[in-house]
Amino acid sequence: MQWTHVEGKDRGKVRLYALSTCGWCAKTKQLLMELGVDFRYVYVDLLDADEMAQAIDEVAQLTSQQAFPTIVIDDDRVIVGYRADQIREALGP
């Protein structure tokens, strides 16, 4: 799966599952960039069919639903949706 890396402060392993057409996904990505967090993201809708199925399965296992954006922090904490307060609390200074 092709992840895009955004360099920033190390706040742990941060991954963002997003859709290229999702406004809330764009806001979440922008917030991570404003916080200066080092993270990786993938636009699930732009993956090939096999990778898309894999990504959707991963999100479903993490969240028990197929919702975007989904942030995974250190393979432990999951934030579903644009939850600015939760994201700032988890990754902010």
Side-chain angles (χ1 to χ4, degrees), residues 38 46 51 68 75 81:
D38 188 283
L46 300 180
E51 289 181 329
F68 299 95
D75 296 321

Side-chain angles (χ1 to χ4, degrees), residues 22-73:
C22 164
W24 296 113
C25 299
K27 287 181 67 101
T28 300
K29 181 180 157 193
Q30 183 62 37
L31 178 57
L32 292 174
M33 294 172 77
E34 288 172 10
L35 293 172
V37 174
D38 188 283
F39 68 102
R40 297 180 190 280
Y41 70 93
V42 64
Y43 287 130
V44 174
D45 57 319
L46 300 180
L47 297 172
D48 68 34
D50 290 340
E51 289 181 329
M52 184 184 307
Q54 177 188 349
I56 289 172
D57 186 52
E58 288 175 12
V59 170
Q61 288 180 17
L62 291 164
T63 67
S64 72
Q65 54 187 323
Q66 296 175 3
F68 299 95
T70 294
I71 297 176
V72 182
I73 304 166

